[in-house]
Amino acid sequence: MKKLLRCLLLLLVGFSSIGSHAGNTEVNVTNPGSLRDLMADLSVSRIDRLTITGELNGMDISYLVSGAGKMANIDSLDISQITLVGDNQPYKSLLVDRSDIGFGTTTEIYYLSETDTIISESHDTGMGGVSSTQHVFCKDLSGAFAENSSFKHVVIPQNLTKVANYMFYKNTSVESVKLPSNAMAFGKKVFERAAELKTVNIPDGIKEIPEKTFRNTSIETLHIPSSVEVIGDWAFGEVPVKNIDLSKVKVVGDYAFYGNQITGVLDLSSLESVGFKAFLSSDQTCCNGIILSDRLKEIPDYAFAGLGFEEVSVPDGVVRIGECAFYACANLISVNIPGTVLEISENSFSETPWFDNLQGDNGVIYVGTIALRYDRKNAPKDSHFSFREGTTVIANSSSYGRFFPTSSPNWKMESVALPSSLKRIGALSLIHISAPT
């Protein structure tokens, strides 16, 4: 029996020497610059959840985001209650841009400082390009978690009033981030290419989500507060966002929701401007309804291409509908185009059931007072052609001479009669007619 007990005791000692594991660990830094030593003094070898309080300087932040030692493989990090203390020490170096000319690059080196300033230096690459280094002195954790792979869940300091530039840029591990409730602005590319990011809060008071803020993340559900008025270019580009309320947003930039998977009705009732390919998607099950604002003046090229709604009413006041604006909306069967439209492309609604079912009249497919497209199948073989009276717009052609092709051996166009009601002749539409009447 004594031998058995002795063996069990030896086994327990052996297991304890392998290393201990802590669920929740709290560290209070009373002396800035001592975080590394405090972590080294912990009796645990692996930490799941780490809460840090107290005062941290640049040396502390450098260690925190290094992924070294006990900072590796931490699931959750809470630094919501820390105070940042400037010591002008660097905590991160980040490549933020590459040039196509002469292999030039832009690198930013971040220092924790009480005074915001940027010192720039540059040199020739020897290949016709220029490489520059920006020494960024700040107190907002710019770039801190960029390219980091240590934490899945992060709560950042709640006393920050800005979500800083590149804070989680190209982060490979973070899945959720809690932002400070009093933050009033986003910096540059804060979460761009943080591919695992699924959950984040947008603080009330934010007015703009700048370009590329969430590009290439994995966010599916996001609350947009009513304070947000502007969503910049590529802000949610290539993001599988499904649930989002945009009813208060006034400006949506180019590619802002490119590749989206938005479900339900896309409510854009406050929108004043929408960008090129803003909502283009290949998922034709998304956006089963759409509400457009009567403040819109233009619907740009490919703005809503590939979406899943069945009907669309273009608001009064819209004067231009761009090329392929509603291209390949596979379920679209009903379209209302107001008389205010003065410019439209023949392919604005192409590859939709509504467009495919339009019937021609004497060689032209009309939509209201718009001559939308030449009707090849039912075109008369007369060399003298007339648009019907009341026509106000001849649509832009997407290829030279679409209305009157020169390739047909059975028809040579000699004259075109234009109605007195005509307000605009679209680009390229009469390119092969030398003297329309």
Side-chain angles (χ1 to χ4, degrees), residues 246-303:
L246 302 174
S247 61
K248 303 300 181 182
V249 176
K250 294 181 179 180
V251 177
V252 173
D254 297 344
Y255 299 95
F257 290 91
Y258 180 85
N260 76 87
Q261 299 176 19
I262 296 173
T263 59
V265 175
L266 180 59
D267 186 347
L268 301 174
S269 53
S270 298
L271 201 63
E272 297 177 1
S273 175
V274 61
F276 175 72
K277 294 187 177 181
F279 291 92
L280 184 148
S281 176
S282 59
D283 183 355
Q284 296 179 339
T285 65
C286 70
C287 301
N288 59 22
I290 187 170
I291 301 172
L292 295 176
S293 166
D294 57 9
R295 301 174 187 175
L296 278 174
K297 300 299 180 186
E298 176 182 4
I299 300 176
D301 300 354
Y302 293 92

Side-chain angles (χ1 to χ4, degrees), residues 285-417:
T285 65
C286 70
C287 301
N288 59 22
I290 187 170
I291 301 172
L292 295 176
S293 166
D294 57 9
R295 301 174 187 175
L296 278 174
K297 300 299 180 186
E298 176 182 4
I299 300 176
D301 300 354
Y302 293 92
F304 301 106
L307 301 185
F309 44 78
E310 295 184 357
E311 59 182 47
V312 62
S313 181
V314 178
D316 285 335
V318 170
V319 296
R320 179 181 181 272
I321 302 175
E323 285 196 22
C324 299
F326 297 91
Y327 171 78
C329 291
N331 301 321
L332 186 60
I333 57 176
S334 175
V335 176
N336 177 61
I337 300 175
T340 54
V341 171
L342 296 177
E343 181 179 352
I344 188 172
S345 176
E346 62 172 0
N347 59 9
S348 295
F349 294 89
S350 61
E351 302 298 325
T352 68
W354 175 81
F355 182 84
D356 292 342
N357 290 326
L358 291 175
Q359 300 296 315
D361 178 6
N362 194 34
V364 175
I365 295 174
Y366 291 95
V367 178
T369 62
I370 297 171
L372 185 62
R373 187 170 184 173
Y374 171 69
D375 183 8
R376 292 175 180 269
K377 294 181 179 179
N378 302 303
K381 300 301 185 287
D382 192 343
S383 60
H384 303 281
F385 186 88
S386 297
F387 287 94
R388 72 187 183 191
E389 191 59 41
T391 300
T392 58
V393 175
I394 299 175
N396 296 342
S397 179
S398 60
S399 61
Y400 287 98
R402 173 68 72 177
F403 266 100
F404 309 111
T406 58
S407 59
S408 173
N410 300 320
W411 182 33
K412 181 179 180 181
M413 179 60 61
E414 295 181 1
S415 68
V416 176

Side-chain angles (χ1 to χ4, degrees), residues 130-184:
V130 176
S131 287
S132 65
T133 300
Q134 310 282 336
H135 299 273
V136 181
F137 293 81
C138 59
K139 200 178 177 182
D140 59 7
L141 295 184
S142 289
F145 296 95
E147 299 180 342
N148 182 273
S149 59
S150 298
F151 314 107
K152 291 183 179 180
H153 311 283
V154 178
V155 184
I156 70 171
Q158 295 300 293
N159 54 11
L160 294 181
T161 58
K162 177 184 178 182
V163 187
N165 298 343
Y166 303 103
M167 186 178 281
F168 289 89
Y169 178 69
K170 292 185 179 180
N171 185 292
T172 60
S173 61
V174 72
E175 297 177 6
S176 71
V177 176
K178 183 177 180 181
L179 302 177
S181 59
N182 60 337
M184 299 300 291

Side-chain angles (χ1 to χ4, degrees), residues 6-154:
R6 188 178 302 165
C7 290
L8 289 172
L9 180 61
L10 288 172
L11 284 172
L12 289 172
V13 171
F15 281 128
S16 65
S17 67
I18 293 175
S20 56
H21 174 230
N24 298 302
T25 301
E26 296 184 8
V27 174
N28 181 38
V29 181
T30 57
N31 182 22
S34 63
L35 177 61
R36 182 188 294 270
D37 293 337
L38 291 171
M39 293 294 293
D41 290 341
L42 293 175
S43 59
V44 297
S45 59
R46 182 171 176 265
I47 300 170
D48 278 343
R49 294 178 293 278
L50 176 63
T51 299
I52 301 175
T53 57
E55 299 182 336
L56 273 65
N57 63 15
M59 292 177 59
D60 296 320
I61 299 301
S62 178
Y63 172 66
L64 174 68
V65 300
S66 68
K70 293 176 182 176
M71 286 300 174
N73 301 316
I74 294 175
D75 186 78
S76 299
L77 173 69
D78 184 346
I79 53 173
S80 60
Q81 301 305 312
I82 68 168
T83 299
L84 297 172
V85 179
D87 59 353
N88 293 326
Q89 293 298 308
Y91 63 85
K92 191 80 172 189
S93 177
L94 182 66
L95 176 66
V96 298
D97 197 16
R98 296 182 184 272
S99 173
D100 294 332
I101 302 174
F103 297 94
T105 60
T106 300
T107 300
E108 294 192 352
I109 301 175
Y110 303 104
Y111 304 76
L112 199 62
S113 175
E114 298 293 334
T115 304
D116 291 345
T117 188
I118 297 176
I119 300 174
S120 301
E121 56 184 12
S122 61
H123 65 273
D124 293 335
T125 63
M127 302 180 193
V130 176
S131 287
S132 65
T133 300
Q134 310 282 336
H135 299 273
V136 181
F137 293 81
C138 59
K139 200 178 177 182
D140 59 7
L141 295 184
S142 289
F145 296 95
E147 299 180 342
N148 182 273
S149 59
S150 298
F151 314 107
K152 291 183 179 180
H153 311 283
V154 178

Side-chain angles (χ1 to χ4, degrees), residues 145 154 156 163-171 174-179 186-203 209 211-219 235 239:
F145 296 95
V154 178
I156 70 171
V163 187
N165 298 343
Y166 303 103
M167 186 178 281
F168 289 89
Y169 178 69
K170 292 185 179 180
N171 185 292
V174 72
E175 297 177 6
S176 71
V177 176
K178 183 177 180 181
L179 302 177
F186 281 106
K188 296 178 183 176
K189 303 181 181 181
V190 177
F191 295 99
E192 185 184 13
R193 297 174 68 178
E196 300 302 316
L197 181 68
K198 299 177 178 66
T199 304
V200 66
N201 61 301
I202 306 292
I209 300 176
E211 64 176 314
K212 300 182 180 179
T213 298
F214 295 102
R215 185 184 180 186
N216 289 121
T217 62
S218 296
I219 295 171
V239 176

